[in-house]
Amino acid sequence: MPTSTIQSAKAIPGNIPLILRVAVNAPLNRYFDYLRPDGLQSKRLRPGMRLKIPFGRGETMGVLLETTASSELPLSRLKRVIAVIDDEPVFDEVLMKLLTWSVDYFHHPPGEVFATALPALLRGSRPLPSAPEQWRATSLGQAAEPLRRAPRQQALLELLRERGSLSESELPGLFSGWRPSMRALHEKLLVEHSAIERGPAMPSPESPNDISLTGPQQKAVAEIGARHDHFATTLLFGVTGSGKTEVYLSLIRRLLAKGQQAMVLVPEIGLTPQLIQRFRERLPGQLAVLHSGLSDGQRLEAWRMARSGEASIVLGTRSAVFTPMSRPGLIIVDEEHDSSFKQQDGFRYSARDLAVVRARLHGIPIVLGSATPSLESFHNVETGRYHVCELPERPGNVAQPSMRIVDLGAHRSDHGLATPSLMAMHAHLDRGGQVLLFLNRRGFAPTLFCTECGWIAGCGRCDARMTVHASDSQLRCHHCDQRCAIPDHCPQCQEQLIPIGQGTQRVEEFLRKQFPGVGVTRIDRDSTRRKGSLPDKLDEVRSGRSRILVGTQMLAKGHDFPDISLVIIMDADQGLFGTDFRSSEKLAQIVTQVAGRAGRAQRPGEVLIQTRFAEHPLLIDLIRDGYAAFANDALAERREAGWPPYSHLALLRAESPSQEDARIFLEAARREAEKICGDETCLLGPAPAPMEKRAGHFRAQLLLQASQRSNLRKLLGPWISKLENLPQRRKVRWSLDVDPVDLF
Ligand code: ADP
Ligand code: ZN
Ligand code: ZN
């Protein structure tokens, strides 16, 4: 694959055929050369424009990378571009650099990288959207006699007179099927339209910020603000509830006053509706919100507003990192440790890491915020690559919650709740507090078991147990979504089957009986599937109608529950002995994040961590000294073991209906790698994935580990080209994951 530098299209003498290098929307790991279309002025072509091109037997979309005078292929074999779709590039220079950098770094097919970066509606040949128009009545229309024969036109005209003007984005909601009537009114010269001009919002610099910042917050704003005119990465390490969001708001206000735009990336907007609300209420100007819950049309409109500069703030999830901005000034990545910033299939990029690269390309500052920063980010602070600002306390007199271990081995427990935990619940509820129970396992029970012969309900397609779902009497596999009715009897011995272990549904049922009249709310993927149900549930808890909250890790993400005074982590052991070298980091993050939901208002919080391993050094470390101390020790362990950030990984995955084929492909891949790399890169495997069988496919993997990133990069390019031509590849599905987050 040629690594290309972006250049602006130079005027080329007319007699030389102009060759266009194109990222074609196809799963192939290289760029393609085309001839320029007939009769096209070369000056019209600029990198970042979309082209309609012949490909295979059909046509597809490609993005112009550069124009060159020569190709590796003879000119006679090059096809001609059919049409230039855009009058102006869809990607500006910085985005083009970011995307070509991504292609080189992640070794993913360029066409797919470029397509991922576009809103779905622009992945074909649909033209770039223009600003919506607004309609109003003309003076003729203001004075017109009622249109008796055309009641719909009359109604629409009346609506316009009443409202002054209406935009094309508002009209469909107010007057369905408005277009034909509007057209008729337009022909009668009763209405007129014009493009909406929404300039950037400019708050006056001294516009009051309704909260006065604490000392550490002011210091953070001052320090980060001082780096406003160049690239610098700051880790904002603030305990939960310390007011990181207030720091962001304050930084963004300053930026808006200068007419610049801010980009804010968050893990999952659907889970934190109040964040959008807070940004809307506290900041002037338009907010472009981009997340997976939008329709393609809404997404395109948000993208357009960001690109045109009409929106001053871009707030979005992972893929929003590719949103164009006309006046970028600052990027913020909130909860930077969160694994949802990593795309887990297809083009496996890390939005957090790409945000840092993007900020560097723009020459603007970036802030990574978290109460539990990733070990990578701590390491970057240690090596001097990142600055750090700390918010060690919560504003006001709110104390950090106290944490305590509850030894499951030493106490009786009922439905997964040890006696001291139940007693603490009673005490907090009696005092008017609220209780949060965290259990990262949805469903009724994780196992259906025969007490007679030991049979366990397993998934036929995965190496996994079926989870019991009581609400609809089903067994479900949480890995492939296979479902079936709960069998009446053991299929082996006809004896009775019983559900073993706790899921959130079962805990909810138990608590309703145990604490009648208190109100129990469950929040997990099952209970919030219906649109709008999450805000309702959050409201149940915030209003106090419900005082016990049970949920999965959906609860760990940034929700504010001011009256929660007790948090119980029901099963810390799920994370203590994971197969992955990141398991302990993830456990420490989730314990700290969930614990942070306690005592946010004026109630002292208490956190109970239930475990069978009360002596586990990690837990003791975390509880006694906090997350920073844990991170310090965990980094020392990583250094010792040579794991990231002290080494660099790439994972080659293969899956196939045949166990054999996956292994054979990876063995061939390993031999190829051995030919290319010296001993700088360590090859581990092939080995079966931790869950070998999933959805009927056998999965295996080969891990590459290098102490220097440059060694890994030198190997990957040539290696991928070899893999694409291995005969053994035909029987498997394979993918490369650079900087994998999950090693399975
Ligand atoms: P984080 O983003 O770190 O979780 P937030 O910015 O959401 O923290 O702040 C947590 C709570 O503390 C919010 O209710 C917020 O309004 C309040 N808060 C933050 N900063 C201040 C301040 N300087 N003075 C008073 N209250 C504050
Ligand atoms: Zn049995
Ligand atoms: Zn399954």
Side-chain angles (χ1 to χ4, degrees):
M1 179 173 29
T3 45
S4 302
T5 47
I6 307 290
Q7 53 180 39
S8 53
K10 298 182 198 89
I12 293 193
N15 54 352
I16 300 175
L18 183 65
I19 291 159
L20 311 184
R21 189 147 296 154
V22 179
V24 179
N25 193 2
L28 291 160
N29 227 322
R30 58 195 190 85
Y31 297 103
F32 289 84
D33 289 347
Y34 283 85
L35 297 174
R36 75 170 174 209
D38 284 325
L40 185 89
Q41 297 289 312
S42 60
K43 68 174 184 333
R44 256 195 65 198
L45 279 173
R46 277 186 287 156
M49 287 180 168
R50 290 174 304 155
L51 309 170
K52 195 171 177 184
I53 46 175
F55 194 74
R57 292 212 192 111
E59 291 173 10
T60 187
M61 186 277 282
V63 175
L64 176 62
L65 195 75
E66 58 182 347
T67 52
T68 81
S70 67
S71 172
E72 285 167 20
L73 290 176
L75 293 187
S76 57
R77 291 197 40 206
L78 297 185
K79 292 186 184 166
R80 200 171 282 282
V81 166
I82 300 165
V84 180
I85 300 168
D86 301 310
D87 296 331
E88 49 184 316
V90 283
F91 296 115
D92 60 25
E93 219 177 303
V94 161
L95 282 172
M96 288 300 283
K97 282 187 184 150
L98 181 71
L99 294 172
T100 44
W101 184 91
S102 302
V103 169
D104 287 347
Y105 186 89
F106 294 104
H107 298 275
H108 193 76
E112 292 189 357
V113 169
F114 281 75
T116 303
L118 280 173
L121 289 178
L122 296 182
R123 291 178 194 159
S125 53
R126 180 191 173 112
L128 273 176
S130 49
E133 304 265 310
Q134 67 184 353
W135 292 86
R136 72 182 87 76
T138 57
S139 46
L140 208 58
Q142 294 290 358
E145 296 284 309
L147 305 162
R148 294 224 164 72
R149 301 234 196 97
R152 276 182 60 79
Q153 290 175 33
Q154 177 60 27
L156 183 56
L157 185 58
E158 269 167 27
L159 186 67
L160 286 176
R161 283 187 191 145
E162 191 182 306
R163 304 287 286 262
S165 69
L166 285 171
S167 75
E168 292 188 349
S169 43
E170 297 168 285
L171 273 161
L174 295 169
F175 199 94
S176 66
W178 60 275
R179 267 183 205 281
S181 307
M182 192 70 89
R183 213 174 294 132
L185 289 170
H186 194 220
E187 275 163 20
K188 294 175 188 156
L189 304 178
L190 299 176
V191 298
E192 60 188 359
H193 61 100
S194 59
I196 299 173
E197 293 287 337
R198 273 192 296 232
M202 298 274 198
S204 58
E206 65 277 6
S207 71
N209 202 341
D210 28 340
I211 277 184
S212 64
L213 298 181
T214 63
Q217 284 173 323
Q218 282 175 18
K219 185 158 169 279
V221 172
E223 284 180 19
I224 300 166
R227 303 180 192 119
H228 65 94
D229 60 353
H230 58 274
F231 167 63
T233 311
T234 307
L235 178 67
L236 182 61
F237 174 32
V239 297
T240 48
S242 60
K244 293 183 290 297
T245 311
E246 288 301 327
V247 171
Y248 306 152
L249 290 169
S250 186
L251 288 167
I252 295 172
R253 266 172 188 280
R254 291 181 160 208
L255 196 76
L256 299 185
K258 289 188 292 175
Q260 290 181 305
Q261 288 171 295
M263 168 176 282
V264 183
L265 300 179
V266 295
E268 278 161 85
I269 286 187
L271 300 184
T272 48
Q274 72 268 49
L275 185 74
I276 302 180
Q277 191 64 15
R278 203 157 153 198
F279 271 68
R280 284 230 161 87
E281 281 169 8
R282 302 279 304 282
L283 294 169
Q286 291 276 333
L287 189 62
V289 181
L290 292 113
H291 60 85
S292 57
L294 302 180
S295 69
D296 286 349
Q298 289 170 319
R299 218 184 151 84
L300 180 62
E301 175 58 7
W303 182 90
R304 188 196 63 74
M305 284 175 52
R307 181 171 183 269
S308 70
E310 281 164 51
S312 11
I313 303 147
V314 179
L315 176 61
T317 46
R318 188 170 61 222
S319 65
V321 71
F322 300 113
T323 313
M325 291 189 284
S326 56
R327 299 168 276 106
L330 172 69
I331 301 179
I332 293 168
V333 182
D334 190 29
E335 310 291 1
E336 65 90 28
H337 65 279
D338 199 290
S339 56
S340 65
F341 285 119
K342 170 86 177 177
Q343 167 99 6
Q344 298 287 12
D345 53 20
F347 168 29
R348 296 168 187 262
Y349 62 96
S350 154
R352 177 200 55 204
D353 297 349
L354 281 186
V356 175
V357 177
R358 182 167 178 182
R360 178 166 54 75
L361 293 170
H362 282 303
I364 61 173
I366 176 165
V367 178
L368 307 179
S370 178
T372 53
S374 62
L375 297 188
E376 279 81 356
S377 293
F378 270 130
H379 180 62
N380 282 327
V381 170
E382 244 172 45
T383 58
R385 254 189 300 246
Y386 293 179
H387 304 274
V388 64
C389 282
E390 286 189 50
L391 304 178
E393 277 162 17
R394 295 178 176 187
N397 293 320
V398 185
Q400 280 292 309
S402 65
M403 293 207 213
R404 186 152 63 88
I405 286 180
V406 175
D407 186 350
L408 285 174
H411 299 280
R412 220 182 72 80
S413 63
D414 195 355
H415 285 78
L417 281 163
T419 311
S421 305
L422 282 166
M423 279 162 53
M425 284 185 74
H426 279 290
H428 279 261
L429 291 169
D430 287 348
R431 271 182 263 138
Q434 288 183 327
V435 182
L436 183 157
L437 295 105
F438 172 76
L439 178 63
N440 213 5
R441 211 187 278 129
R442 65 194 170 87
F444 184 79
T447 308
L448 187 65
F449 178 71
C450 171
T451 44
E452 190 61 32
C453 74
W455 179 85
I456 286 173
C459 173
R461 310 174 68 214
C462 305
D463 289 332
R465 292 173 182 183
M466 298 290 270
T467 301
V468 182
H469 281 252
S471 48
D472 42 12
S473 302
Q474 273 187 337
L475 290 178
R476 285 189 208 159
C477 174
H478 286 182
H479 303 281
C480 71
D481 210 35
Q482 180 100 317
R483 294 165 186 222
C484 62
I486 297 178
D488 295 334
H489 300 285
C490 172
Q492 282 190 166
C493 72
Q494 314 305 323
E495 283 304 313
Q496 271 228 308
L497 294 168
I498 57 162
I500 304 267
Q502 313 300 323
T504 45
Q505 284 177 4
R506 192 176 206 178
V507 173
E508 176 194 11
E509 192 183 281
F510 167 69
L511 293 171
R512 280 189 197 284
K513 288 192 195 122
Q514 201 71 12
F515 298 92
V518 175
V520 180
T521 295
R522 171 166 62 90
I523 293 187
D524 57 28
R525 266 208 287 144
D526 298 312
S527 77
T528 56
R529 207 163 293 250
R530 195 173 46 77
K531 211 179 162 182
S533 55
L534 179 66
D536 290 350
K537 303 227 168 232
L538 294 174
D539 189 55
E540 265 170 36
V541 181
R542 273 193 213 108
S543 67
R545 266 176 286 144
S546 170
R547 291 171 55 215
I548 300 177
L549 175 59
V550 191
T552 57
Q553 62 176 349
M554 283 178 83
L555 292 178
K557 308 207 176 196
H559 301 290
D560 246 340
F561 301 108
D563 291 324
I564 285 189
S565 57
L566 173 65
V567 166
I568 300 175
I569 293 170
M570 290 185 61
D571 185 5
D573 304 342
Q574 276 179 313
L576 278 176
F577 302 99
T579 46
D580 198 310
F581 70 91
R582 283 185 222 269
S583 307
S584 63
E585 177 186 357
K586 284 183 191 154
L587 175 71
Q589 286 166 344
I590 210 148
V591 167
T592 311
Q593 293 284 349
V594 175
R597 305 302 124 204
R600 288 202 136 197
Q602 300 307 319
R603 296 168 190 276
E606 190 180 2
V607 180
L608 302 181
I609 302 173
Q610 300 196 145
T611 173
R612 267 178 204 82
F613 301 90
E615 306 294 318
H616 199 287
L618 157 68
L619 280 179
I620 293 177
D621 217 26
L622 183 65
I623 289 171
R624 196 187 49 210
D625 302 325
Y627 184 80
F630 154 79
N632 211 18
D633 292 355
L635 270 174
E637 265 179 34
R638 295 264 187 99
R639 185 198 299 268
E640 198 106 310
W643 284 119
Y646 301 98
S647 67
H648 305 276
L649 302 180
L651 187 67
L652 181 67
R653 296 183 174 88
E655 60 170 70
S656 158
S658 137
Q659 196 172 21
E660 193 68 359
D661 288 341
R663 187 178 48 80
I664 289 174
F665 167 77
L666 291 176
E667 275 167 3
R670 184 184 167 118
R671 285 192 296 275
E672 291 301 330
E674 280 165 352
K675 283 187 221 158
I676 305 169
C677 64
D679 359 324
E680 315 92 33
T681 304
C682 208
L683 303 168
L684 304 159
M691 182 192 287
E692 187 180 14
K693 196 171 158 214
R694 182 165 174 174
H697 285 248
F698 289 90
R699 306 167 330 136
Q701 56 197 33
L702 176 65
L703 186 66
L704 282 67
Q705 186 181 35
S707 52
Q708 299 293 323
R709 168 151 331 264
S710 56
N711 289 333
L712 197 57
R713 294 190 76 169
K714 259 190 293 190
L715 164 68
L716 290 178
W719 190 45
I720 291 288
S721 317
K722 290 277 188 233
L723 296 185
E724 288 186 319
N725 295 309
L726 278 181
Q728 295 89 336
R729 79 178 191 285
R730 294 215 175 83
K731 294 186 169 166
V732 302
R733 218 163 60 201
W734 64 275
S735 63
L736 181 73
D737 191 349
V738 177
D739 304 335
V741 168
D742 287 316
L743 293 190
F744 55 82

